[in-house]
Structure formats: C-alpha cells, structure tokens
Amino acid sequence: MDGVGWKARGDRKTKFNNARSFMPRIKHSAKLIMLCIRYTGVPIGGIGCGSIGTDHRMAFNRFSIIPGIKEQTTNIKSNIFIVSVHSKLTGSLIYQSLLSAADFNGKALKSWKTMRPENVKYRGLFPRAWYEFTLGETGIKILCTQVSPVVPNNYEDTSLPVADFEFEVVNEAEEDVNVSIVFTFRNGTGNAKWNSESICEVQEFCEAEKYTGISLKHKVRGMDLTYVLGNNGKDVMTTSFDPNSNGNEIWKELERSGDLPEKIESKNERRELGIAIRTKILVEKSGSNSTIFSLTWFMPKVDFGKNCGRSYERRYTRFFTNPFDISKHAIQQFATWQTHIDAWQNPIIHDESLPDWYRSALFNELYYSVDGSTIWFNYEDAWRIQEPRISPETERHFREFGRFGYMESWEYYMINTYDVHYYSSWAFLKNWPMIELGIQLDFADQVSRVDASQTTSLFEGHPMQVKKPARIPHDMGHPITNPWISTNAYILHDTSDWKDLNLKFVISSWRDFKLIVRQSKFHDNSEAQRILRLFYEKSKEIVDRALEDWDVDNDGMIENSGFADQTYDAWKMTGTSSYCGSLWIAALTCLIEMSKNLEKNENCEKYQQLAEKSNRIFIEKLWNGKFFRFDEDKNNEDVIMADQLSGFWALLINDDEVCMDREKILSAIRVVFENNVKKYGDGEFGAVNGFLTTGSVDSSSIQSMEVWSGITYALSSLMIELDMKNEAFETSEGLFKSIWHNYPLQFQTPEAFAEDGMYRALGYMRPMSIWSIQHSIDKKRSN
C-alpha cells in the first residue's frame, strides 16, 4: 500500500470539492456527466473489450460494455464482495460486512451492511489496484489485489474482458478462523433500460478443487452478455438471488454458517437476477491464506444499433469462444500478468530520478486506453463490400491485429478523433505500437475517399460536404450510427478546412514508419516499403491540395481562414499562425524524409525548397524577438499560445531535422513557461492555452482561457527535448496534482480545466500524451 500510485482512504475528502462542468458547447450535443459522480478508481478489463469502473472504496460502476458508450451508473450494491468470519473452534460469528465503504442508493439489499470508511485504504496504479480492509477490532485484515490483463506489446491477453481479485487474509487474532468471501453480480449494467430486457440463464462449471464458476447469460441492448464469476478454491459454492430483495436470505445464512443458501427456485422465468460465488478458507492465528476470484463479461458479437447494418466480433473471440475458459485462464495467469506488469513498470516506478507524482501519473493516465469506450474488432472479409478503399496493407494489418477505436471523450461521441489522437497516440506507440499503426493505416485509406452527402455546419449554418477528397476525416464516426462507413460525426465546423488535422496525418505517417514499421518484426523490408509508399502517396496528396487551397498569397506558407479552423475549434486564427504554421513546416519536413527513403529525388528537392521558404516566412511574419505571435491579426500581438510550436515538437521528439533556429524555439518556450505556467494559478495548474504579455489570461475565447491537460503534457515533452527538464516536470506537476488530488477528478481526467475548478469533457483522449514525456526521457538517456 506504500508504493507509487494514487492513494486514498475510504473517507477521503479533497482540498476543493467545487469542481463543476463548464456550460456545454454546441459541439456534440452530448449529455453531461452527472456532477455527483466523483468516487472513482482504476477501471477493470483489457483493451477494447468493454470496461467496468470501480470505486476507490470498492464498488462497481461506469459500464462501457455497449460499444462506444459510457454508461455513468451509480454504485451497484448487488455487484459486491461480502466477508464473513467465524471462529473455527466454536463456529460463532466474529465479523461480517460488505468489503466496501461505498455509498449505495435505493432500497434493494438493505440488510447488506458496509464497512466504516476509515477502515478502507486504496492505492491505484493502472492496470492494478490494491485495497486494505480492516475488519473492525478483530485483528484481521484483508488485502485485495485487483489486476487487469493490460500488458505492453501483448495483443492477445490484453484484449480479454476480465479482471482478477486476489484476497489475502492476514489473521493477527488469537484464534483460527474460517473466512468466507462471497462475490455477487447482477444482470445488466446498472442502467434501468436493460434491467429486465431478457430472461436470465444461469449455468455452473466445476473442475474439482481447481476452478468453480457460475455464469449469468442475458441481453443488453439486444446483444448477448454473459457474466462469469470464478474462483480457484477447494470449498466453493454458488447460488442465484433476487437483486431487488432486501438480501436477508443470503445475509442471514452467511451470518449463521458462512455458506450460501440454495438457489432461488421459481416456476417463473426471471428477468432480473443476481449470481453469487462463495469460497471458504481457513486462516490460522498469526497466519494468512489467499484466494483468487475472476470477473468476466463476455459480449462476443456487438453492433452499433439495429439500423447500422453490420455486427462485429470482439478481438478476444480469436482466442476464446467460451466465457468459462476466459475466467479460468485469468485465474491461471494471475501471477504471470503480475510478473509482466512488474517488468513493465518497475524500471520507472523505482527510478528515484523521476518525481513521485510523474511515476504515478504516467501509468494512471493510461486508464483511458481501457476506459475510453474502446473497441477492438476482428477483421471480416465482408468489410470490403462496404469499404472498398481498404488497402492491401491495411487489410493485412487488420487480419493480424484487428481494428481499434476509442472515443474522444465520454461526452464527445466520436471514434478516433484524429486531431486529438495526434497527442494521445504516444500512449499506444510506446505500449501497443500495432494498435497505433492500425489507426494510421485506417486513416490513410480515408484520404481519397469521397462522401458527397450534404450536412450543415452547426456554427456557421453553411451547407457542407461530409467528406471531401485529399482530406482526413475528423473522426471515424458516431458510435450509434455506422462508424468507418459514415465518418465525420463532428459537424460544428467544416473540418475539410481545418489546417492542423491533415498536417498531423503527414507528420504521424513518417513518425509511425520510423518508430514502428522500421523496428517491427512483423514487417519485412518489402512490406515496410509498401506501407511507406502508401503513407507517402496520401501525404503528398494532402500537402499538394493544402498548398493549392490554403496558401492564399502564394508565399509557400498556408494561412488560417479567420475562423476556428483547427483543433482549437472555438479559437479563431487569421493568416499565418504559429500553431498551424509550425505544423505545416513539420509536415513538409516529414514528406521530404519519406521522399528520401523512397528515392523520390525530384519531389524531395521541390519540398525542400518549399520548407525553407515557409520557414523564412514563418519567422518574418511571426517572430517578435522573444516568441512567435499567435497569428497575423494585430489584435493578437500580445497573445502567447502554449501550443504555438506543436510542429517543431513533432520534429524534435522524432529526431528529425529542424530548420528553425533552436534558440528561437527555446526562447519561445521559456516565455510560455514564465507566463502561461508560472503566472497562471500560482503555477499550480499547468499551462493555460492563452496568456497575454500584459499579464492576464487571453479571454478572447473559452478555449484560450482553459488549461488543456493533454497540451500541458505535450508541452512538457517539448521542454525535455529543449533540456528544460525541471521546467517540464514543474509544468505538468501542477496540472496533475490539481486534477488528481486537489479536485475529485481522478481516473476521469478532463480535456479542459481552469483554476476556479471549472472543467469540460470528463474522460478524454488527449491526456495520454503524457507518454510523449516518457519518450523524450528515454531518448535523452539513450543518446
């Protein structure tokens, strides 16, 4: 319990409890997360299989089992662990309670009593969590280790919908005791819409003294879902129960004997049902004993709604087709997963040269890889009928590694929002590079695709074509329509005019080839060259069209259009801007590198000249002697943008040639640190997006007044590249401590935050950009 991680006691109170949501923007017409939801912990499950949220006081909530949808349910009392302790000598009851200090609403299971909050301690370090339960004054403690199969560079077990819970009972009492631990779970996801959707079917499975499991099969939104509770004990029994009852039948029998009652028998088929599994272990005085439970949620075939026209098979069905097999496998692999996770994490969490907060933040921000409504599907030949533009390179990759998607936010319903993924992609590149490569190949196939259907931009009210050629779609679609077939769910603006979106694709194409394809054992040289050629052709198409459409004065540098035409979609840029201009220079540089590798000498020389010209223009128009101006609008001369050199960050972190004078970049980032960081919120909130040289926050837009979590982490990575390590950690430390400790927003990092406690978009992709900091650290050490 004393190691690195996010720590709390059951009665934890934060320094500030007034965190509150910003007023909703038009952006996505999304539902706001309920403001009462504050108690969170490490989510459980593998990647892309659906996840279940946990409470740091031990409860289950926040289901993401429906593809792409986060259901923000309250704590579910019927999904719980119960402990009963009896004297071995006399058989009398010594202690009984739920292994939880969480709050539960409703009248169901009223007889089930929680622990005192001060008797629960918690430590979370994704993908594991540890609980310590003190059983009153008995002298008995229970230590629980919660483990999900999230292992870097593992594309099999990491996809499994399962979690393990090992309970170690430590007995410092004066007598031997029999300890019964019960795990219960009900049908559904806590959403009343699914509570009685279908008839529930219960099944048992037993391998003598090795494994016992009980399953609960039912439907959620028309899709088959099976929960399995498993245990590895020798004295195990199972039952079913009514989750809407007062719970007396189970509670009283546990009090009396430490056993479960017989199954509830009824001639009527039950639409609401709970299942329970009990193990009993002997714990001698001054001794300890342990047992392992597993929880599996098996929804092998899913869809995005009845009108979408096709279903998908989860990634894990390639390896398992029976939920009991997953449950058994999880228990058998408990120690192995622990070993692999230790090997991954220990070099970082035991590195005393890194700040304690960072060692916690690096892994805990990765929670979104599981809890970001992620989806991971097996490839099917039938896709080619509806998606004929899937390239041979992409198809080969999908056949081996599947197709992956995740939501921009729990509130912003869009799959693989690309301008944001540009930052968060570092988490996948560093840990599951084949997932990142699959996303990049998926977008490459979209560049030339055309969707001539029309819609209307919500902000301007103008008609616009859904998908134009030579453009990257903003996203791969909405999770209740037809993702990948119907892209661009975002319609606030016409993203075909977004300057950064397309340039980020060019930059990421070269980065992914350099850092993934070249170093991958899965690609021989000919396959690597085919992937590079695909990326090059699509990147060239984008750059050539961008030069034609966006360089309005023919000076070689693209211009912004005087509206919010980039990821800061409420912050207007006019003419040459530092943010988009730096990305343009970086995109040209990356296209040059691809040209060199493919021996496209003529094109290489062409883009080299263009890059040099653009760089000169960038300096002439924007350099003011200390930093780069926000844009060409004279009203913005005093604006210091935190993300002003995103393009040069992309080049530096990838060890690519940077034509910009390093001293100018260093000067600009020092100005950002001194103003956007140190002068905002006493330097304890990260980097505010916009700050004025006059000493105040830029209030020209809601976004200029916000701190964006993912931008702050990316900025810190750039600082490390510039040998500003102390400033880098100071910048991100303020952000992390504010969100994770001073405010109750742990394991739900918002996109945007402000010093007055206002936040926007809980559960967001971009903060996973913290892994770019680790990449920069790794590079510095290897050089």
Side-chain angles (χ1 to χ4, degrees):
M1 299 301 295
D2 296 328
V4 169
W6 183 82
K7 302 169 189 174
R9 207 168 74 165
D11 56 354
R12 173 182 185 255
K13 296 189 185 306
T14 56
K15 183 177 181 180
F16 304 109
N17 285 309
N18 64 326
R20 56 206 187 278
S21 178
F22 282 102
M23 292 300 292
R25 290 185 293 150
I26 299 173
K27 186 172 183 180
H28 310 297
S29 299
K31 297 178 181 178
L32 287 176
I33 302 303
M34 292 184 295
L35 302 186
C36 62
I37 295 177
R38 288 285 181 266
Y39 299 105
T40 55
V42 174
I44 58 173
I47 292 178
C49 56
S51 65
I52 299 175
T54 63
D55 186 318
H56 72 269
R57 302 162 305 172
M58 183 54 97
F60 296 93
N61 50 40
R62 298 191 330 189
F63 284 67
S64 290
I65 290 178
I66 298 172
I69 301 297
K70 169 68 64 175
E71 295 187 277
Q72 293 285 344
T73 55
T74 56
N75 295 327
I76 304 170
K77 198 170 187 179
S78 48
N79 300 350
I80 205 72
F81 292 96
I82 309 171
V83 63
S84 300
V85 182
H86 291 79
S87 168
K88 180 179 183 293
L89 181 63
T90 66
S92 60
L93 179 70
I94 296 174
Y95 182 89
Q96 182 165 303
S97 77
L98 301 181
L99 285 175
S100 176
D103 297 324
F104 298 100
N105 299 322
K107 299 178 181 179
L109 308 177
K110 279 292 187 180
S111 64
W112 295 12
K113 305 303 181 183
T114 58
M115 308 182 74
R116 295 177 62 87
E118 62 269 25
N119 288 341
V120 180
K121 293 181 180 179
Y122 179 85
R123 176 166 74 97
L125 188 68
F126 179 87
R128 294 182 289 188
W130 296 265
Y131 296 84
E132 180 183 282
F133 303 99
T134 300
L135 306 190
E137 304 300 322
T138 64
I140 300 172
K141 288 186 177 180
I142 297 180
L143 307 177
C144 174
T145 301
Q146 168 191 306
V147 179
S148 294
V150 180
V151 178
N153 295 302
N154 181 311
Y155 299 93
E156 296 182 13
D157 282 4
T158 298
S159 72
L160 297 180
V162 71
D164 284 330
F165 302 86
E166 181 194 51
F167 290 91
E168 180 185 4
V169 183
V170 180
N171 181 13
E172 296 180 356
E174 296 300 317
E175 61 177 316
D176 298 347
V177 294
N178 286 314
V179 178
S180 296
I181 300 177
V182 179
F183 191 10
T184 68
F185 223 81
R186 68 156 294 155
N187 68 303
T189 61
N191 187 331
K193 289 192 294 185
W194 324 124
N195 278 353
S196 57
E197 182 180 350
S198 66
I199 301 300
C200 295
E201 301 176 24
V202 176
Q203 183 180 348
E204 292 179 321
F205 182 89
C206 183
E207 291 183 352
E209 298 190 349
K210 291 183 178 180
Y211 171 84
T212 302
I214 182 171
S215 68
L216 176 60
K217 184 176 180 180
H218 57 293
K219 290 184 183 296
V220 166
R221 210 197 68 180
M223 296 174 285
D224 289 334
L225 170 62
T226 302
Y227 291 127
V228 176
L229 307 181
N231 184 264
N232 67 338
K234 296 180 180 179
D235 184 358
V236 183
M237 62 185 304
T238 63
T239 192
S240 58
F241 66 97
D242 179 0
N244 298 314
S245 69
N246 61 15
N248 269 333
E249 189 169 4
I250 284 179
W251 195 257
K252 292 298 183 182
E253 186 61 29
L254 285 171
E255 280 185 341
R256 187 185 70 81
S257 65
D259 293 335
L260 292 173
E262 294 296 321
K263 287 188 179 61
I264 297 172
E265 300 294 345
S266 173
K267 294 181 180 179
N268 297 321
E269 295 178 312
R270 290 190 174 271
R271 288 182 171 271
E272 295 190 58
L273 193 64
I275 53 174
I277 185 168
R278 188 276 293 152
T279 189
K280 185 182 290 186
I281 56 176
L282 171 65
V283 188
E284 298 177 342
K285 63 180 180 180
S286 302
S288 65
N289 203 348
S290 63
T291 187
I292 301 174
F293 290 91
S294 64
L295 168 64
T296 303
W297 50 101
F298 187 73
M299 185 182 273
K301 198 165 187 176
V302 297
D303 59 61
F304 291 102
K306 294 180 179 178
N307 298 323
C308 290
R310 77 182 188 190
S311 59
Y312 299 82
E313 289 185 348
R314 300 272 197 187
R315 164 77 174 171
Y316 57 79
T317 60
R318 179 172 179 174
F319 316 110
F320 292 93
T321 57
N322 185 303
F324 281 115
D325 291 339
I326 295 177
S327 178
K328 285 191 299 178
H329 178 78
I331 290 175
Q332 292 167 355
Q333 293 298 307
F334 175 79
T336 301
W337 291 342
Q338 290 267 65
T339 299
H340 289 164
I341 294 169
D342 283 339
W344 171 35
Q345 294 185 339
N346 284 349
I348 293 171
I349 64 177
H350 295 319
D351 185 347
E352 296 294 333
S353 71
L354 299 173
D356 181 79
W357 71 265
Y358 172 77
R359 288 176 272 166
S360 171
L362 182 68
F363 294 104
N364 278 335
E365 290 289 15
L366 202 57
Y367 82 95
Y368 201 74
S369 66
V370 160
D371 212 25
S373 303
T374 56
I375 45 180
W376 198 358
F377 299 142
N378 290 327
Y379 177 77
E380 297 181 34
D381 290 331
W383 292 359
R384 293 298 298 271
I385 297 173
Q386 292 175 303
E387 300 179 75
R389 288 192 176 275
I390 292 179
S391 65
E393 293 77 17
T394 305
E395 181 180 355
R396 281 191 288 272
H397 190 86
F398 282 174
R399 286 188 183 279
E400 180 63 26
F401 298 104
R403 180 182 243 174
F404 182 83
Y406 65 133
M407 295 299 104
E408 179 179 338
S409 164
W410 296 342
E411 302 177 28
Y412 297 169
Y413 294 156
M414 291 163 292
I415 294 175
N416 293 349
T417 298
Y418 195 80
D419 55 308
V420 184
H421 175 72
Y422 167 76
Y423 300 91
S424 58
S425 60
W426 281 100
F428 295 104
L429 188 149
K430 296 290 286 183
N431 296 294
W432 301 278
M434 294 303 151
I435 288 180
E436 160 55 23
L437 181 59
I439 293 174
Q440 188 67 11
L441 286 165
D442 214 354
F443 273 92
D445 293 342
Q446 292 283 334
V447 173
S448 303
R449 178 175 168 267
V450 175
D451 185 342
S453 57
Q454 296 286 309
T455 186
T456 302
S457 63
L458 294 178
F459 190 86
E460 293 86 9
H462 297 158
M464 59 184 186
Q465 185 174 319
V466 170
K467 172 65 177 70
K468 295 178 181 177
R471 296 288 192 268
I472 287 294
H474 171 274
D475 56 82
M476 287 297 190
H478 195 292
I480 61 171
T481 56
N482 232 333
W484 291 289
I485 299 171
S486 299
T487 63
N488 275 335
Y490 175 93
I491 56 172
L492 180 63
H493 301 294
D494 185 350
T495 58
S496 68
D497 286 331
W498 277 23
K499 309 308 182 288
D500 62 339
L501 181 63
N502 297 277
L503 304 179
K504 288 174 177 177
F505 171 83
V506 179
I507 294 167
S508 297
S509 290
W510 170 240
R511 180 201 66 178
D512 286 3
F513 173 77
K514 185 176 181 180
L515 299 183
I516 300 176
V517 179
R518 267 184 178 172
Q519 301 177 22
S520 169
K521 64 181 181 180
F522 295 103
H523 302 99
D524 58 26
N525 185 61
S526 60
E527 174 69 7
Q529 289 300 103
R530 284 194 293 270
I531 291 174
L532 178 59
R533 193 173 299 111
L534 172 67
F535 285 164
Y536 169 77
E537 291 171 354
K538 300 302 181 181
S539 296
K540 184 178 183 300
E541 185 178 352
I542 284 173
V543 168
D544 289 347
R545 181 63 66 88
L547 188 65
E548 179 182 337
D549 292 349
W550 298 336
D551 181 14
V552 296
D553 56 5
N554 296 314
D555 62 354
M557 168 58 72
I558 63 169
E559 283 82 30
N560 291 91
S561 306
F563 75 96
D565 55 356
Q566 25 66 40
T567 196
Y568 298 89
D569 58 358
W571 199 2
K572 296 180 180 180
M573 298 180 184
T574 302
T576 301
S577 68
S578 55
Y579 170 66
C580 292
S582 71
L583 288 168
W584 172 247
I585 294 170
L588 290 173
T589 303
C590 292
L591 189 57
I592 291 165
E593 292 300 320
M594 286 187 270
S595 300
K596 288 179 181 177
N597 275 266
L598 292 171
E599 298 181 349
K600 305 281 186 179
N601 297 329
E602 182 178 341
N603 287 334
C604 183
E605 183 178 349
K606 167 188 170 183
Y607 294 119
Q608 182 69 51
Q609 293 174 355
L610 184 58
E612 292 171 358
K613 184 178 180 182
S614 296
N615 195 60
R616 289 195 301 271
I617 295 297
F618 189 78
I619 295 172
E620 290 172 8
K621 290 185 175 182
L622 302 179
W623 178 247
N624 65 6
K626 292 184 177 180
F627 63 93
F628 291 93
R629 291 174 50 193
F630 179 74
D631 64 7
E632 292 188 68
D633 188 336
K634 292 190 178 298
N635 293 322
N636 291 328
E637 286 185 344
D638 294 327
V639 176
I640 306 166
M641 185 184 190
D643 201 19
Q644 62 182 266
L645 298 183
S646 183
F648 296 126
W649 164 63
L651 296 178
L652 287 168
I653 197 172
N654 203 33
D655 277 341
D656 288 321
E657 181 180 351
V658 181
C659 53
M660 177 60 64
D661 180 359
R662 184 182 176 91
E663 288 303 312
K664 287 184 172 62
I665 298 175
L666 184 59
S667 174
I669 299 307
R670 282 176 175 159
V671 169
V672 170
F673 178 73
E674 292 164 2
N675 290 272
N676 301 57
V677 178
K678 296 295 288 181
K679 293 181 182 179
Y680 182 76
D682 296 324
E684 297 180 351
F685 285 86
V688 69
N689 284 336
F691 202 83
L692 302 176
T693 57
T694 54
S696 62
V697 173
D698 175 17
S699 59
S700 63
S701 79
I702 187 175
Q703 291 175 341
S704 60
M705 301 170 66
E706 297 173 335
V707 173
W708 282 11
S709 308
I711 298 301
T712 291
Y713 289 141
L715 175 63
S716 295
S717 168
L718 175 54
M719 289 176 176
I720 290 173
E721 295 292 338
L722 297 171
D723 298 317
M724 297 171 62
K725 184 176 180 180
N726 292 337
E727 293 89 341
F729 284 137
E730 185 177 344
T731 295
S732 285
E733 180 180 12
L735 169 83
F736 180 78
K737 285 188 173 180
S738 289
I739 290 174
W740 284 75
H741 293 283
N742 293 340
Y743 289 90
L745 298 172
Q746 68 280 351
F747 298 105
Q748 49 191 335
T749 308
E751 152 75 326
F753 193 66
E755 62 178 316
D756 61 0
M758 298 287 279
Y759 66 84
R760 179 170 53 78
L762 284 183
Y764 200 78
M765 294 165 65
R766 201 171 344 231
M768 287 199 294
S769 64
I770 192 172
W771 280 88
S772 66
I773 298 178
Q774 190 59 36
H775 184 75
S776 294
I777 292 171
D778 292 342
K779 270 199 322 110
K780 287 290 183 182
R781 288 180 172 175
S782 64
N783 288 336

